[in-house]
Amino acid sequence: MPFFNLNLWFDYSKSSHNSVKIEKLKCIMVYFERITSSTEPVGVLTFSRYNLDNPDKNIIKSCTKNIRKTVVLSKDKIEDCSGAVQLDFANKYIGGGVLNSGCVQEEIRFVICPELLVSLLFMERMSEHECILIRGAERFSDYTGYSGSFRLKNEFIDTTKKDKYERIMTDVLAIDATKFRVKKDQFCEKYFWREIFKSYAGFFANWKEPKGQLPCLATGNWGCGAFNGDVHLKYLIQLISASVADRDLVYFTFGDQKLLNELSKMNEILLANSVDVKTLVEFLFKFFDIRQNLNVSVNDFLTSILNSDVTSDK
């Protein structure tokens, strides 16, 4: 089970983490001040787990669906994308280091929406092909910064509509990526399939929307940063899973304009050439095979091959 004890928030023996712990506590106090100063709190949250039974590589390898559209944004944050399924770049133990000194994407989301913390009490470690979906978590705080620069900005009033069950219509989807000690290890089929099935489990999970309409996915640099994932490969993995699940992506680069330009160009080329899932997977496997002999990134490799082979074939 995830760790659940508030005592580490009051341990200030490591001065480098003290300011972050104080700011996270401020967010929790904003929550309690709100709910204790109003009438009896109303609303519902639901916590669900979904497991991908019998993952089949052929579903992906033989998929002829075209790659879906990606809207890439450098400003705003995942939690600002109303109406989308909002990804939590989760630890396999949901919440990660939220009750300690951790203060990256998942931990920040859990302190600005403190009701998510309840999941730490009963949500066990996620398995290889499993995700956690939480609907109804209200946002109470706005913030600036990230990691050591995280600061509470002010109170946030969440105006998101509720469904018929009185749940805030915000879906937080928790999927955990593989942590790589050596970055090059991820460029192989073994870890490709692990990340594909993990993301596909979440993107495909038991969605029943009116008239068959599926909301887009608000995501970003899943499994990068401390987990050492390659941002371009992780984008393509998410794009493949989203395309099989019939979903578009809204991708937030968190202020990285260079990455915005690269991913936008990549998606534009994929769409212009009507590349399907099957073809993109084949290209990636080809890249894995030749990568050791070439000093080239997955982004440069695919841009080159799409501007030559695919265009000529079409």
Side-chain angles (χ1 to χ4, degrees):
M1 295 293 290
F3 172 86
F4 198 101
N5 194 317
L6 298 180
N7 67 324
L8 291 179
W9 270 358
F10 298 92
D11 177 5
Y12 299 124
S13 59
K14 296 182 179 180
S15 59
S16 60
H17 298 152
N18 291 352
S19 63
V20 166
K21 291 180 179 180
I22 291 170
E23 294 302 316
K24 291 198 290 187
L25 275 169
K26 289 179 181 178
C27 292
I28 301 302
M29 296 309 295
V30 167
Y31 169 76
F32 281 112
E33 182 177 10
R34 174 96 62 85
I35 66 170
T36 56
S37 62
S38 61
T39 57
E40 181 179 352
V42 294
V44 175
L45 284 85
T46 55
F47 301 82
S48 307
R49 300 176 74 104
Y50 296 101
N51 187 65
L52 188 62
D53 296 326
N54 302 315
D56 185 356
K57 295 178 182 178
N58 288 325
I59 292 177
I60 310 297
K61 292 171 71 174
S62 62
C63 181
T64 57
K65 294 180 180 179
N66 283 350
I67 290 299
R68 301 284 293 208
K69 179 181 179 181
T70 304
V71 175
V72 188
L73 304 172
S74 63
K75 297 181 180 180
D76 297 323
K77 309 178 186 77
I78 290 173
E79 58 267 22
D80 296 323
C81 196
S82 179
V85 178
Q86 301 170 2
L87 262 68
D88 165 23
F89 304 159
N91 189 285
K92 59 186 176 182
Y93 293 96
I94 194 167
V98 63
L99 297 181
N100 197 340
S101 56
C103 197
V104 288
Q105 195 263 357
E106 179 173 42
E107 289 87 354
I108 291 173
R109 186 62 192 264
F110 275 52
V111 295
I112 65 172
C113 304
E115 291 159 339
L116 293 173
L117 291 168
V118 176
S119 62
L120 276 67
L121 290 171
F122 57 88
M123 283 293 180
E124 299 176 359
R125 182 182 70 175
M126 282 183 273
S127 67
E128 283 292 279
H129 307 133
E130 189 175 33
C131 69
I132 294 173
L133 176 67
I134 304 170
R135 170 170 279 199
E138 184 175 351
R139 181 177 169 189
F140 288 82
S141 298
D142 198 7
Y143 67 95
T144 61
Y146 191 79
S147 188
S149 64
F150 174 80
R151 296 292 182 271
L152 170 66
K153 184 178 180 181
N154 50 43
E155 182 181 10
F156 183 86
I157 304 300
D158 195 334
T159 59
T160 307
K161 294 181 180 180
K162 294 184 177 182
D163 64 14
K164 63 181 180 181
Y165 303 109
E166 289 297 311
R167 299 177 299 181
I168 294 282
M169 292 182 67
T170 297
D171 293 309
V172 176
L173 174 64
I175 54 174
D176 58 299
T178 301
K179 186 173 184 178
F180 296 100
R181 293 184 181 275
V182 180
K183 192 165 186 175
K184 67 179 183 180
D185 289 349
Q186 65 196 285
F187 299 104
C188 68
E189 292 190 28
K190 173 185 175 181
Y191 290 114
F192 169 83
W193 287 119
R194 191 276 178 193
E195 305 298 73
I196 280 286
F197 289 135
K198 170 62 70 168
S199 54
Y200 183 64
F203 298 174
F204 192 70
N206 196 33
W207 294 101
K208 297 179 181 179
E209 297 296 326
K211 300 179 181 179
Q213 297 176 350
L214 293 173
C216 63
L217 299 153
T219 186
N221 302 335
W222 173 57
C224 302
F227 276 33
N228 221 14
D230 180 271
V231 65
H232 299 100
L233 179 59
K234 276 296 197 292
Y235 162 66
L236 292 167
I237 286 172
Q238 293 183 83
L239 183 59
I240 288 169
S241 294
S243 299
V244 179
D246 299 318
R247 295 176 179 275
D248 293 328
L249 291 180
V250 180
Y251 195 103
F252 294 86
T253 67
F254 307 105
D256 189 334
Q257 187 64 41
K258 180 175 180 291
L259 181 61
L260 180 149
N261 295 336
E262 292 172 346
L263 299 187
S264 296
K265 181 180 179 181
M266 173 63 68
N267 190 242
E268 181 181 336
I269 295 172
L270 290 168
L271 296 178
N273 289 284
S274 300
V275 175
D276 59 24
V277 170
K278 175 183 176 182
T279 302
L280 182 53
V281 171
E282 290 172 351
F283 286 159
L284 285 175
F285 286 176
K286 183 176 180 180
F287 171 75
F288 296 158
D289 290 338
I290 68 172
R291 180 183 177 276
Q292 291 183 346
N293 300 321
L294 293 176
N295 185 21
V296 63
S297 69
V298 63
N299 181 59
D300 291 340
F301 173 80
L302 284 178
T303 300
S304 174
I305 200 169
L306 286 169
N307 279 330
S308 56
D309 293 354
V310 179
T311 304
S312 61
D313 288 344
K314 296 293 181 180

